Amino acid sequence: STDVLLSGKGDPGYHFTSAGLAEAALCLAGRIPGCLRERSPVGGVFTSMSTMVPDVLQSRLTAAGLLDVAHYDVGQAERVSPP
């Protein structure tokens, strides 16, 4: 089993929220290549994340210095590669 630690720089209520929303908006507007799913869900009302490719948005947030994702083996202190 693996624990996941999400961390970032700056105040999460101010810095991450404003910049993270801007990155998500760019994705939803189709300004980031590969960020929108090829086949979005059909019909009904969906969350915005259901239309996006999570790995692409995560890469953008990481590149902007907003997010760091670390995977750890449960009970171990060393970082491991993501599954």
Side-chain angles (χ1 to χ4, degrees):
S1 150
T2 302
D3 283 345
V4 177
L5 173 66
L6 302 176
S7 61
K9 296 177 184 167
D11 179 10
Y14 179 74
H15 180 73
F16 178 82
T17 300
S18 59
L21 283 174
E23 290 292 339
L26 288 170
C27 179
L28 288 169
R31 303 294 179 143
I32 301 172
C35 192
L36 292 176
R37 292 182 192 268
E38 290 286 324
R39 302 192 70 188
S40 294
V42 179
V45 178
F46 299 95
T47 63
S48 53
M49 198 61 213
S50 68
T51 64
M52 294 187 253
V53 177
D55 293 339
V56 175
L57 186 58
Q58 179 183 333
S59 295
R60 292 279 302 195
L61 295 174
T62 301
L66 295 173
L67 180 68
D68 182 40
V69 180
H71 299 263
Y72 295 89
D73 278 335
V74 174
Q76 302 291 324
E78 53 187 75
R79 190 174 181 160
V80 297
S81 298

